[in-house]
Amino acid sequence: MNYTIIKDEVLLTNFIEWLPTLEKHETYYISLFARNKYETESNVLKANKALLKRFTTTKENLFDKIKQLEVQFGAYKSNGLAIPQESLAIYINPNPRDLEKATKNSLIKFVDLITRDYSGYNPHQEVLSEIQKACSRKIFFDLDFDDILPESVLPTIKEFINEDCLRVLRTRGGFHLLVELSKIHKDFEKTWYKSITTISGCDMKGDNLIPIPGCIQGNFIPYFL
């Protein structure tokens, strides 16, 4: 038996097609987590979440890279115990990451690290962290709404911004509102952010990781409305 990461190939394929086409210096950043709030019976995870895998990929290779995560059950472990399928969740930064910027920032980071005693750092992981932080183009602004259904607040949101710049990603605990910045009408440019972020349930804001449609998020399959 293998872990299942992809639950709906059509949803995933459509999402990949929707993602912006990368420029030559760009990549996508993906993370696979185990989260204890999604699976509470086994008590395998002691922390709130554990990072199992993270990697970068092109848009063209994204589907296959995700498929490669579907390894034999038990290959993902915490404290020597197999991580339950139900705790898995996979995320992506929908904004492309800048490899050139990440390379420069990695060099600065390494110069700082080698001037001090070795502290257990892993160069590979340090570079991945810099890639995650190096946003290339801020195409989307992400607003994460927790413990609230989109239907209950979307009518209000549409009073504050034009609907054609919005994509709503339904998630296990609520939804992500992706605002395509270049499509915001001038009438809302100076007011949309303050208005929407004051709505109850709006949590994380900005260049966030989002669950990948068609893939696992606990026992839920995220999808675009």
Side-chain angles (χ1 to χ4, degrees):
M1 182 177 71
N2 284 25
Y3 288 103
T4 301
I5 307 297
I6 301 172
K7 288 287 190 177
D8 188 316
E9 292 192 359
V10 174
L11 284 178
L12 175 57
T13 300
N14 289 341
F15 171 71
I16 292 172
E17 291 177 356
W18 170 82
L19 285 171
T21 299
L22 296 175
E23 297 178 1
K24 65 178 183 178
H25 64 288
E26 295 177 333
T27 190
Y28 282 112
Y29 174 91
I30 297 89
S31 297
L32 177 67
F33 286 95
R35 308 192 67 176
N36 64 8
K37 70 177 182 178
Y38 296 156
E39 202 282 331
T40 58
E41 294 182 3
S42 67
N43 200 31
V44 170
L45 291 171
K46 305 304 179 185
N48 290 331
K49 63 182 178 181
L51 177 60
L52 305 178
K53 286 284 185 180
R54 56 177 177 165
F55 59 91
T56 62
T57 185
T58 62
K59 178 174 175 173
E60 292 74 19
N61 292 333
L62 179 54
F63 187 98
D64 290 338
K65 286 285 189 177
I66 294 174
K67 192 68 178 176
Q68 290 168 16
L69 299 174
E70 296 186 331
V71 296
Q72 185 176 4
F73 181 80
Y76 299 127
K77 288 184 170 65
S78 177
N79 299 313
L81 300 174
I83 288 178
Q85 166 72 44
E86 293 77 16
S87 69
L88 299 181
I90 188 169
Y91 300 86
I92 188 172
N93 278 111
N95 288 320
R97 317 325 281 172
D98 189 322
L99 290 173
E100 186 176 17
K101 184 191 299 183
T103 301
K104 294 176 182 177
N105 291 340
S106 295
L107 288 172
I108 295 170
K109 179 71 173 182
F110 288 149
V111 168
D112 177 60
L113 288 173
I114 63 175
T115 59
R116 295 182 275 117
D117 292 338
Y118 180 67
S119 58
Y121 61 83
N122 182 324
H124 175 64
Q125 296 302 322
E126 295 293 339
V127 171
L128 284 172
S129 294
E130 293 301 331
I131 293 174
Q132 180 184 5
K133 292 185 288 185
C135 180
S136 179
R137 291 175 286 151
K138 291 185 178 179
I139 301 170
F140 305 107
F141 191 95
D142 175 47
L143 298 158
D144 183 9
F145 288 80
D146 281 334
D147 300 320
I148 189 168
L149 294 176
E151 307 87 71
S152 64
V153 294
L154 279 177
T156 302
I157 289 172
K158 291 174 185 177
E159 294 177 6
F160 301 137
I161 196 167
N162 48 295
E163 185 177 355
D164 59 323
C165 72
L166 303 177
R167 290 301 299 265
V168 179
L169 176 61
R170 184 71 169 86
T171 63
R172 188 181 190 274
F175 69 98
H176 282 254
L177 182 71
L178 293 167
V179 181
E180 191 167 350
L181 297 173
S182 66
K183 292 184 178 181
I184 300 174
H185 290 177
K186 289 186 177 181
D187 293 344
F188 302 110
E189 282 181 348
K190 297 181 180 180
T191 58
W192 71 271
Y193 176 82
K194 183 177 180 181
S195 299
I196 295 177
T197 54
T198 58
I199 296 174
S200 177
C202 185
D203 186 11
M204 295 178 62
K205 316 168 187 69
D207 177 43
N208 304 320
L209 288 165
I210 64 170
I212 298 180
C215 296
I216 42 89
Q217 188 193 17
N219 57 1
F220 186 83
I221 306 173
Y223 60 93
F224 277 132
L225 296 182

